[in-house]
């Protein structure tokens, strides 16, 4: 997405030197430095500003505090990166995780067992009836997820990792299968087979997990053994969410839960996590109906264990209601919408819209989805998705995608502890942050096919910024 950007004082009543950096991206020219120098700052004269729109930033109008940005460790991410030479992999991980270099990721999500971008279904204990979990093992992850995480932590040892399951061991589900939906129902929409008979399907609004206390208690200990096993591998899990998208009856690893079913489970999961100092967030919330989640958050037994909330997909529409009712609970955007494998301008533009929405609604952490995929982004279950990196399987080469630069335009500059700033004016295509070192970060989008002029008003200063067509720009003032 490079924009031509001009920074100028509107009035020269009182000169002050500040260090200013402006980086801009278009589809053809990503991450171009437009300005990187000390420039004079001036008192503003609001009567002289002209432009297509105005953005007003109050440097004292603090909103939520940012915890960090990241993505998700998926098996297909690692297998695609494994096709590259070590030098290329090192450069990618340095770009994603090394402090101050590229995306500056400080947090990451991971699946607890198989997910939709695993090589295939698996769990950590697939021995039916093993309520003592004698056969529990994370050996499967030694080939994929564990080396993936280690490569990231080699660049940033303090990386914070959280986890959620897509599916429990299949024997714990009422249909004894990892999926809820039969691929026979897809009618050719996806090239996938899961072997689930139509009469064994479990629909949204039903508990796919067996609600017998013996199963619930065992599954909570399963979470605990996962935390312990990963700790032995040098990976501390700081938080879990009990289920990815508990209302989604999918053809890949999935498990639907009713609010009552999750309340039943949290009675066991909460104490197991408390023993280990691991937080429990309610999520991932993928439905817009706030009452589904309020039935859990308002349950006294469950609520005492819930330390935050995680939203994705249509769940974003439940955020305002739940944030208003439970303002003390931090909110995460737990998974950015995944795209269609094209990694094009439309996907990047939608990613920017999502970031604006979530961060302006109060989320404190934001997670992209796939880190890396082969070109086309197809999963084992036939679903095509976007990623930050694409790998050409034949040539053994890679590219950073437009959505990577959308993430980088924010995450490179906005550090943990930054405050989101409230915006005014008629410009709605921006985000602003104040870092703990006092630096101001303003991210500006132009999603039109024409260049635009923006009046930026910050405190006692005013600036004119010119944005190229279909561009994203970050202005930093120190």
């Amino acid at each position: 997405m490079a924009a031509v950007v001009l920074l100028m004082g509107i009035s020269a009543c009182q000169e002050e030197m500040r260090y200013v950096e402006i980086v801009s991206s278009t589809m053809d020219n990503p991450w171009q430095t437009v300005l990187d120098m000390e420039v004079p700052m001036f008192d503003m004269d609001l009567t002289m500003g002209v432009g297509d729109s105005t953005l007003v930033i109050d440097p004292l109008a603090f909103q939520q505090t940012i915890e960090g940005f990241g993505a998700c460790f998926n098996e297909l991410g690692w297998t695609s990166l494994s096709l590259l030479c070590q030098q290329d992999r090192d450069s990618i991980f340095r770009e994603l995780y090394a402090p101050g270099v590229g995306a500056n990721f400080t947090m990451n999500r991971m699946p607890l067992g198989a997910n939709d971008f695993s090589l295939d279904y698996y769990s950590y204990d697939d021995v039916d009836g093993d309520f003592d979990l004698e056969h529990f093992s994370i050996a499967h992850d030694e080939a994929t997820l564990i080396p993936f995480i280690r490569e990231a932590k080699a660049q940033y040892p303090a990386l914070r990792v959280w986890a959620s399951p897509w599916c429990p061991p299949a024997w714990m589900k009422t249909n004894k299968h990892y999926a809820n939906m039969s691929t026979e129902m897809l009618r050719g929409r996806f090239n996938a087979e899961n072997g689930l008979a139509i009469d064994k399907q479990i629909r949204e609004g039903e508990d796919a997990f067996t609600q017998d206390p013996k199963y619930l208690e065992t599954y909570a200990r399963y979470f605990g053994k996962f935390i312990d096993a990963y700790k032995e591998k040098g990976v501390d899990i700081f938080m879990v969410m009990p289920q990815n998208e508990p209302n989604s009856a999918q053809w890949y690893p999935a498990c639907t839960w009713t609010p009552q079913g999750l309340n039943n489970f949290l009675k066991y999961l909460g104490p197991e996590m408390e023993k280990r100092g691991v937080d429990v967030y309610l999520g991932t919330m993928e439905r817009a109906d706030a009452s589904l989640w309020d039935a859990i958050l308002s349950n006294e037994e469950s609520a005492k264990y819930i330390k935050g909330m995680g939203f994705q997909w249509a769940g974003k529409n439940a955020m305002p209601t739940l944030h208003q009712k439970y303002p003390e609970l931090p909110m995460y955007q737990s998974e950015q919408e995944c795209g269609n494998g094209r990694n094009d301008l439309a996907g990047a533009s939608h990613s920017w819209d999502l970031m604006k929405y979530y961060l302006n609604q109060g989320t404190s952490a934001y997670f992209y989805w796939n880190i890396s995929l082969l070109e086309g982004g197809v999963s084992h279950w036939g679903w095509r998705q976007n990623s930050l990196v694409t790998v050409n399987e034949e040539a053994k080469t890679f590219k950073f995608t437009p959505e990577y630069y959308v993430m980088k335009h924010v995450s490179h500059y906005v550090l943990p502890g930054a405050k989101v700033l409230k915006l005014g004016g008629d410009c709605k295509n921006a985000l602003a942050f104040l870092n703990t070192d006092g630096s101001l970060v303003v991210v500006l989008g132009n999603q039109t096919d024409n260049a635009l002029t923006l009046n930026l008003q910050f405190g006692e200063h005013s600036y004119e910024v010119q944005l190229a067509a279909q561009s994203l720009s970050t202005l930093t003032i120190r």
Side-chain angles (χ1 to χ4, degrees):
M1 276 167 237
V4 177
V5 183
L6 300 175
L7 179 68
M8 64 184 71
I10 303 302
S11 171
C13 297
Q14 181 179 353
E15 184 172 316
E16 178 185 355
M17 298 298 291
R18 291 284 185 90
Y19 187 84
V20 176
E21 178 183 4
I22 302 174
V23 173
S24 197
S25 295
T26 64
M27 282 290 291
D28 296 329
N29 293 291
W31 208 254
Q32 301 295 304
T33 299
V34 179
L35 184 66
D36 187 7
M37 61 185 293
E38 276 196 334
V39 298
M41 311 285 280
F42 304 93
D43 288 348
M44 72 175 182
D45 179 355
L46 294 181
T47 65
M48 297 182 65
V50 294
D52 297 296
S53 61
T54 299
L55 179 68
V56 180
I57 303 172
D58 183 344
L60 299 178
F62 296 151
Q63 300 189 108
Q64 78 273 20
T65 301
I66 293 295
E67 289 188 42
F69 298 87
C72 186
F73 296 116
N74 289 329
E75 284 200 294
L76 292 186
W78 178 251
T79 56
S80 60
L81 292 172
S82 296
L83 296 174
L84 303 173
C85 67
Q86 187 63 53
Q87 182 178 357
D88 283 348
R89 283 205 307 275
D90 289 345
S91 69
I92 290 169
F93 279 100
R94 174 174 163 77
E95 174 70 14
L96 293 174
Y97 293 100
V101 173
N104 237 358
F105 287 163
T106 59
M107 306 173 74
N108 237 78
R109 182 184 183 182
M110 69 168 295
L112 202 162
N115 70 354
D116 51 332
F117 272 72
S118 294
L119 294 169
D120 201 342
Y121 163 74
Y122 74 96
S123 82
Y124 300 125
D125 189 341
D126 275 318
V127 178
D128 193 355
D130 184 17
F131 293 104
D132 292 330
L133 298 176
E134 294 178 350
H135 298 277
F136 182 95
S137 172
I138 63 168
H140 176 97
D141 292 359
E142 291 281 6
T144 53
L145 295 178
I146 290 173
F148 203 168
I149 298 170
R150 283 175 174 163
E151 289 274 12
K153 286 177 67 68
Q155 298 293 336
Y156 184 61
L159 185 70
R160 302 176 68 211
V161 180
W162 64 274
S164 66
W166 271 242
C167 179
W171 60 270
M172 295 185 184
K173 292 180 63 178
T174 59
N175 68 352
K176 308 299 181 184
H177 195 280
Y178 67 81
N180 274 40
M181 179 195 295
S182 170
T183 49
E184 293 183 43
M185 303 297 294
L186 299 175
R187 297 188 178 92
R189 288 171 49 222
F190 296 94
N191 183 22
E193 295 293 337
N194 64 15
L196 178 63
I198 290 179
D199 64 353
K200 295 294 185 181
Q201 293 186 123
I202 306 170
R203 293 171 174 78
E204 180 173 344
E206 300 174 355
D207 280 307
F209 192 91
T210 305
Q211 291 297 298
D212 185 319
K214 187 174 184 179
Y215 284 81
L216 294 164
E217 187 272 338
T218 300
Y219 193 35
R221 286 190 290 107
Y222 178 92
F223 270 68
K225 289 179 76 69
F226 163 79
I227 300 294
D228 297 343
Y230 260 82
K231 189 176 185 67
E232 290 179 3
K233 299 295 182 181
V235 180
D236 289 322
I237 307 298
F238 76 92
M239 180 267 284
V240 296
M241 297 189 194
Q243 173 64 46
N244 179 74
E245 300 183 350
N247 300 285
S248 298
Q250 305 288 13
W251 69 98
Y252 48 76
C255 185
T256 53
W257 296 75
T258 65
Q260 185 56 54
L262 281 172
N263 281 329
N264 293 338
F265 179 47
L266 285 164
K267 291 187 295 186
Y268 297 96
L269 180 64
E272 282 292 327
M273 295 300 97
E274 279 191 342
K275 292 177 190 176
R276 296 164 172 83
V278 175
D279 288 339
V280 176
Y281 276 37
L282 180 59
T284 61
M285 304 190 209
E286 89 286 32
R287 292 289 182 261
D289 183 358
S291 68
L292 288 170
W293 317 110
D294 190 48
I296 302 166
L297 292 164
S298 62
N299 180 286
E300 290 186 8
E301 187 68 20
S302 298
K304 66 183 180 183
Y305 298 119
I306 296 172
K307 308 302 182 185
M309 302 181 286
F311 300 88
Q312 58 194 56
W313 291 89
K316 62 182 178 289
N317 298 313
M319 283 176 54
T321 298
L322 295 175
H323 185 41
Q324 183 177 22
K325 186 169 183 180
Y326 304 99
E328 74 283 1
L329 294 178
M331 301 189 300
Y332 283 8
Q333 181 270 23
S334 46
E335 174 189 319
Q336 185 179 288
E337 295 168 25
C338 59
N340 52 18
R342 296 174 186 164
N343 294 294
D344 56 10
L345 176 61
S349 182
H350 185 56
S351 294
W352 169 235
D353 287 340
L354 289 169
M355 291 191 80
K356 284 184 297 182
Y357 177 83
Y358 277 101
L359 292 168
N360 281 323
Q361 287 291 332
T363 52
S364 58
Y366 189 97
F367 297 90
Y368 191 80
W369 180 224
N370 289 295
I371 292 173
S372 174
L373 292 173
L374 297 179
E375 291 178 352
V378 64
S379 76
H380 174 75
W381 289 276
W383 194 359
R384 293 184 180 275
Q385 296 187 2
N386 292 346
S387 55
L388 299 176
V389 176
T390 57
V391 175
N392 183 293
E393 186 172 11
E394 182 176 347
K396 306 295 191 293
T397 57
F398 72 93
K399 292 189 298 186
F400 288 102
T401 68
E403 288 183 52
Y404 169 69
Y405 291 103
V406 173
M407 286 291 294
K408 184 178 178 180
H409 265 283
V410 181
S411 64
H412 177 77
Y413 297 99
V414 181
L415 306 180
K419 296 289 187 181
V420 179
L421 297 177
K422 188 174 182 179
L423 304 178
D426 59 0
C427 175
K428 306 303 179 185
N429 212 345
L431 289 167
F433 310 84
L434 192 66
N435 281 316
T436 56
D437 65 0
S439 60
L440 171 70
V441 178
V442 185
V443 189
L444 303 166
N446 177 11
Q447 293 164 297
T448 76
D449 292 329
N450 301 303
L452 297 176
T453 300
L454 174 70
N455 290 330
L456 173 61
Q457 298 169 13
F458 169 65
E460 297 180 348
H461 303 287
S462 180
Y463 319 100
E464 184 180 279
V465 182
Q466 303 221 351
L467 304 173
Q470 297 293 348
S471 67
L472 190 64
S473 303
T474 303
L475 182 154
T476 308
I477 303 173
R478 297 181 177 87

